[in-house]
Amino acid sequence: AALAFAMQGIRVGLISSGDSGIYGMAGLALELLLQLPQHERPMFCVHPGISALQLAASRAGAPLMNDFCAISLSDCLTSWAKIEKRIKAASMSDFVIAFYNPRSNNRNWQLKKAFDVILETRNSSTPVVFARQLGRKEEKVQVHCLGDFPVDQVDMLTLILVGNSTSFYQDGYV
């Protein structure tokens, strides 16, 4: 609809939560735009925002001071086999891992499986940040251990940050 309005000459802003270019609407909007003949395309510009992983990290302390990666656990557009391969590689490479789209009503097993994969190379006491409803009135940020993380409390409004081998939790900070 936003693209259709823009093609009519109406000024349109398509707004995503977080950063529109990180698991947001920018990629889909651009993909649809590029399907149009070049001479019919309206102007397109992406304005970055603060990503959920940045906000979660700032609330928890400073867990992203070394290399990190972001992985979506949604297998709607990416096969679970490919996602699991990425989790294994990130864990073996000792990245701090940010999990987006960690759990929904229909996808309720992936996060537990991801933690099982990570536990093959990391200690069960590894700090894990639970960040839900970031930037909203209902915001909740907690730190748990990888081995006893409350997976059942996670939903699509949650971002998970899994520490690496040098991450630690002290005096309320990761």
Side-chain angles (χ1 to χ4, degrees):
L3 183 57
F5 285 132
M7 289 177 66
Q8 295 172 30
I10 299 171
R11 214 175 159 144
V12 177
L14 180 59
I15 300 171
S16 285
S17 62
D19 185 314
S20 62
I22 301 176
Y23 303 118
M25 297 300 294
L28 176 60
L30 182 58
E31 188 175 319
L32 293 172
L33 179 92
L34 293 174
Q35 291 175 7
L36 298 172
Q38 194 166 3
H39 68 280
E40 292 181 23
R41 296 177 190 160
M43 186 184 94
F44 181 84
C45 181
V46 177
H47 297 279
I50 297 296
S51 68
L53 70 90
Q54 289 172 292
L55 190 51
S58 72
R59 298 288 200 260
L64 303 179
M65 294 307 297
N66 262 312
D67 293 333
F68 64 91
C69 68
I71 299 173
S72 172
L73 293 183
S74 173
D75 59 358
C76 293
L77 299 176
T78 305
S79 72
W80 177 254
K82 184 176 273 190
I83 294 168
E84 187 172 358
K85 186 176 178 181
R86 291 173 178 171
I87 295 165
K88 285 180 183 181
S91 185
M92 288 174 42
S93 300
D94 203 26
F95 285 112
V96 170
I97 305 170
F99 284 122
Y100 281 79
N101 307 309
R103 190 169 185 264
S104 70
N105 291 335
N106 296 329
R107 292 182 311 92
N108 56 16
W109 58 270
Q110 284 91 338
L111 182 60
K112 170 75 169 85
K113 178 63 178 166
F115 284 174
D116 289 345
V117 168
I118 295 168
L119 281 165
E120 293 173 11
T121 58
R122 301 218 182 141
N123 192 305
S124 64
S125 63
T126 300
V128 178
V129 177
F130 167 98
R132 186 173 185 283
Q133 290 275 30
L134 286 164
R136 298 180 178 108
K137 185 177 162 184
E138 303 85 11
E139 179 177 297
K140 182 177 183 181
V141 178
Q142 300 172 329
V143 179
H144 299 275
C145 291
L146 182 60
D148 62 4
F149 189 88
V151 172
D152 60 326
Q153 294 180 20
V154 175
D155 61 16
M156 289 295 284
L157 301 174
T158 309
L159 179 102
I160 305 297
L161 286 176
V162 180
N164 66 9
S165 65
T166 62
S167 298
F168 61 93
Y169 181 62
Q170 180 179 338
D171 300 331
Y173 297 105
V174 176

